[in-house]
Amino acid sequence: MGFVTPDYGTIFWMLIIFGIVLFILKKFAWVPILKALKDREKSISDALNTAEKARKEVAGLKASNDQIIAEARREKDIILKEARDIKDKIVAGAKIQANAETLKSIENAKQQIIAEKSAAINEIKQQVAELSVMIAEIIIRKQLENPEDQERLVEDLLKDLKLK
Amino acid sequence: MTRLIRSFLIILLTAFLSTGINRANEPVIPVKEGEHAEKFDAGKFVIEHVSDSYEWHIATFGETHISIPLPIILYSSNQGWNFFMSSKFHHGHETYKNFRIEHEGKNEGKIVELNLEGNVVGLPIDLSITKTVAGIFVSVIVLLLIFLNIAKSAKRRVNQAPAGMQNFFEPIILFVRDDIARPAIGEKKFEKFMPFLLTVFFFILINNLLGLVPIFPFGANVTGNIAVTLVLAVFTFFITTFSTNKHYWKEIYNPDVPWWLKFPVPLMPIVELTGVLTKPFVLMIRLFANMLAGHLIVTVFVSLIFIFARLFGVEGGFGISVVSVLFSVFMLLLDILVSFVQAYVFTFLSAMYFGMASPDHH
């Protein structure tokens, strides 16, 4: 058998054997092996993707947490500001009211003072009047101690009456 | 570098071969029992080791040949089908049922049919299980054992890390897929070629490696047999041809070259068509020649021992045996590398041809 002249018997057997082996290996070895490889690669890449997604989700959660915190802080600031405003308003209102109240009570006091004053003046007037009467009595009594004086007085009085 | 060494060794080898052939052409070769064992013929020894034969020769002790008989399957128009074991020929020395292994002339090494007077009347159709075919059977059994086992464990261990043999072969399978098929054929189409590429790769690889193991039932020179590489190349050729698209044929019959290269003499189409046939032809020759050369060189180094022993006595034989063994070991290691490289090259070129068969654009 020459080296470079292919032997047809060998070709015949090789064709049959290689054909059968190709078929068997394809059906029972390569397809399942390649499928297993592909499946494993897919599951690994899926797992990696899921991990990546989870990582992103966590990052997203963190971002949204930060956002929520920032919002809460902002809200807190607003509330505080509002509270301060309200406080200021209340204080201011209270001041105004207090002022008004003070003014009112001052006014009242003034009026009372005036009233008391006039009452006191009236009393003084009365007492002055009484005192005057008493003084006048005393004076009259002294003047009327002698009967002529009495008579002259009556006459004066009568004169007044007659004139009328 | 490898090529340099190799070509040097091939030149060396041709010298040996020619001496062997010259001696064979000398008229004084009466092949008688007992006599041929004493005289060592390097050329014959080397050729016998790498060529196909009807029996699987294991060893010779003195005059006793130890070999495994292989089935002979013959069909001739005179005698119809004939099945018998090659041991009936008694190592090629006897005629059985009017068949004989020819030892000289143009049918050397073939089985010829004789008539009752003992004259050659023709060649029967010979479908014998020769050493090469038996070697193919052995390697195929190994191949099936390995990969059916791997498939089983791949099916059992879904989405788990590979274990055992699967662990060893998976990187190679992935290499074939990701470094040969995917880049050469393209992402879209490579999957349908994977079974063939993997089968070819591992068939060649396992045959190459088993061919280096010098113990029965391994060591048959399978990938160094041109019939085997021819069948592999024919498979590549047909798969290429059946997966072509119109761009491929346009490139062949009407390539984008100046018109005068196509008309009136269709120069380029002829060149391109030749290319279609040369591609598988080159695949066939490359694998065959590389593996045959590897086997030849190792055998030649071994036979050097006996040549020197005859020329300079036993001391010469011992002296050269050290060198020979070292060189043989070196060549065997080189052949392990070559086994992988040739399996890779054959698969890669096949994949390239598949990829070129259905180009996407142009």
Side-chain angles (χ1 to χ4, degrees):
Chain A
M1 291 178 196
F3 284 133
V4 286
T5 41
D7 177 55
Y8 61 85
T10 315
I11 294 179
F12 170 79
W13 286 111
M14 176 66 188
L15 268 176
I16 291 177
I17 299 170
F18 191 76
I20 292 172
V21 166
L22 184 59
F23 174 77
I24 293 177
L25 282 182
K26 182 183 175 172
K27 192 147 196 246
F28 299 109
W30 303 132
V31 169
I33 290 173
L34 289 173
K35 194 180 159 291
L37 282 175
K38 215 174 177 180
D39 284 353
R40 192 189 314 143
E41 271 162 19
K42 199 174 163 294
S43 87
I44 290 173
S45 81
D46 279 357
L48 286 177
N49 282 343
T50 317
E52 178 67 12
K53 215 193 264 171
R55 207 180 61 78
K56 270 192 189 139
E57 240 160 60
V58 167
L61 264 178
K62 202 170 162 267
S64 76
N65 271 352
D66 287 351
Q67 206 183 334
I68 288 168
I69 288 171
E71 210 156 291
R73 202 167 285 153
R74 210 167 33 245
E75 219 151 282
K76 182 197 81 180
D77 286 349
I78 291 171
I79 289 168
L80 277 179
K81 199 166 164 276
E82 254 166 42
R84 214 176 287 132
D85 285 355
I86 290 169
K87 183 198 81 181
D88 287 351
K89 218 182 273 172
I90 289 170
V91 169
K95 246 181 211 162
I96 291 167
Q97 214 174 344
N99 274 347
E101 207 76 12
T102 321
L103 285 177
K104 215 164 129 193
S105 50
I106 290 171
E107 196 65 31
N108 274 353
K110 270 184 188 160
Q111 272 173 7
Q112 223 164 335
I113 291 165
I114 293 170
E116 295 284 324
K117 208 169 102 185
S118 57
I121 291 172
N122 282 345
E123 212 170 319
I124 292 169
K125 273 181 184 166
Q126 218 173 336
Q127 282 184 0
V128 167
E130 272 172 25
L131 282 171
S132 316
V133 171
M134 269 162 63
I135 296 165
E137 220 179 72
I138 295 162
I139 297 169
I140 291 170
R141 227 171 252 147
K142 275 210 174 128
Q143 280 178 349
L144 295 179
E145 271 169 3
N146 44 358
E148 319 100 26
D149 285 343
Q150 283 179 2
E151 278 195 26
R152 206 178 37 234
L153 187 62
V154 174
E155 274 176 18
D156 280 350
L157 286 173
L158 284 171
K159 222 191 261 168
D160 279 352
L161 280 174
K162 274 182 207 166
L163 274 173
K164 270 190 191 171
Chain B
M1 190 62 198
T2 327
R3 192 163 289 176
L4 209 73
I5 295 171
R6 176 147 285 180
S7 46
F8 169 73
L9 290 172
I10 286 172
I11 292 166
L12 205 77
L13 171 77
T14 358
F16 273 117
L17 285 185
S18 52
T19 54
I21 289 161
N22 284 342
R23 212 165 290 147
N25 288 343
E26 282 168 24
V28 257
I29 294 218
V31 188
K32 280 186 200 157
E33 277 282 342
E35 206 176 51
H36 75 290
E38 283 167 19
K39 221 177 158 196
F40 178 73
D41 186 340
K44 215 172 162 202
F45 171 74
V46 172
I47 298 298
E48 266 174 12
H49 262 266
V50 291
S51 56
D52 209 355
S53 68
Y54 290 105
E55 56 184 16
W56 197 314
H57 183 254
I58 294 174
T60 302
F61 296 109
E63 290 169 26
T64 331
H65 293 285
I66 301 173
S67 50
I68 308 287
L70 296 168
I72 306 277
I73 301 163
L74 299 171
Y75 178 82
S76 73
S77 44
N78 300 330
Q79 299 186 63
W81 287 102
N82 275 289
F83 305 93
F84 53 92
M85 297 306 280
S86 66
S87 51
K88 293 285 197 307
F89 284 129
H90 289 95
H91 311 300
H93 303 307
E94 282 179 20
T95 306
Y96 180 78
K97 279 189 181 171
N98 290 335
F99 293 114
R100 188 179 76 190
I101 299 174
E102 200 76 312
H103 289 290
E104 51 210 6
K106 68 176 167 63
N107 293 327
E108 190 185 348
K110 288 181 182 161
I111 291 177
V112 292
E113 194 179 8
L114 309 168
N115 59 12
L116 291 173
E117 288 82 44
N119 298 318
V120 175
V121 288
L123 294 167
I125 293 172
D126 182 359
L127 296 178
S128 305
I129 308 291
T130 57
K131 189 181 170 188
T132 306
V133 178
I136 298 172
F137 271 113
V138 170
S139 67
V140 156
I141 289 166
V142 173
L143 203 66
L144 289 178
L145 278 180
I146 294 174
F147 289 103
L148 292 182
N149 199 346
I150 291 178
K152 210 168 73 187
S153 83
K155 268 190 222 161
R156 201 179 51 233
R157 300 169 55 84
V158 179
N159 286 343
Q160 285 180 44
M165 214 152 51
Q166 195 191 0
N167 206 1
F168 180 77
F169 281 99
E170 236 174 45
I172 308 179
I173 296 173
L174 283 175
F175 170 77
V176 173
R177 193 190 67 178
D178 295 338
D179 292 321
I180 296 179
R182 211 189 284 262
I185 302 174
E187 191 62 48
K188 272 176 280 175
K189 286 168 293 192
F190 81 93
E191 269 177 343
K192 72 173 174 183
F193 297 109
M194 279 308 292
F196 175 72
L197 291 176
L198 285 169
T199 312
V200 158
F201 183 86
F202 285 107
F203 182 83
I204 295 174
L205 182 65
I206 284 180
N207 272 305
N208 288 352
L209 292 176
L210 290 187
L212 299 176
V213 182
I215 313 159
F216 180 82
F218 310 120
N221 179 24
V222 174
T223 37
N225 185 304
I226 199 162
V228 172
T229 59
L230 178 126
V231 171
L232 293 174
V234 161
F235 266 93
T236 299
F237 173 72
F238 277 109
I239 293 175
T240 312
T241 312
F242 283 126
S243 51
T244 50
N245 63 9
K246 63 175 192 287
H247 299 292
Y248 176 78
W249 296 109
K250 195 226 161 229
E251 286 288 306
I252 288 170
Y253 290 114
N254 189 18
D256 297 321
V257 288
W259 64 270
W260 48 268
L261 282 172
K262 295 183 275 193
F263 184 83
V265 185
L267 206 57
M268 280 313 285
I270 289 174
V271 170
E272 293 280 353
L273 264 179
T274 321
V276 169
L277 295 173
T278 351
K279 282 172 192 167
F281 186 75
V282 167
L283 278 183
M284 168 180 88
I285 295 294
R286 181 184 297 109
L287 179 60
F288 153 72
N290 270 290
M291 295 327 293
L292 180 67
H295 279 263
L296 282 177
I297 289 161
V298 174
T299 339
V300 163
F301 276 120
V302 174
S303 55
L304 267 183
I305 301 171
F306 301 104
I307 293 170
F308 273 74
R310 207 180 59 200
L311 291 178
F312 307 109
V314 181
E315 297 80 15
F318 273 120
I320 202 70
S321 69
V322 178
V323 183
S324 280
V325 166
L326 283 179
F327 263 106
S328 296
V329 168
F330 169 69
M331 284 312 299
L332 273 174
L333 291 177
L334 196 66
D335 275 342
I336 292 175
L337 179 70
V338 170
S339 299
F340 278 94
V341 169
Q342 288 307 317
Y344 167 71
V345 166
F346 196 103
T347 317
F348 182 70
L349 287 177
S350 296
M352 289 280 288
Y353 300 155
F354 298 158
M356 279 152 67
S358 50
D360 288 330
H361 39 81
H362 280 304

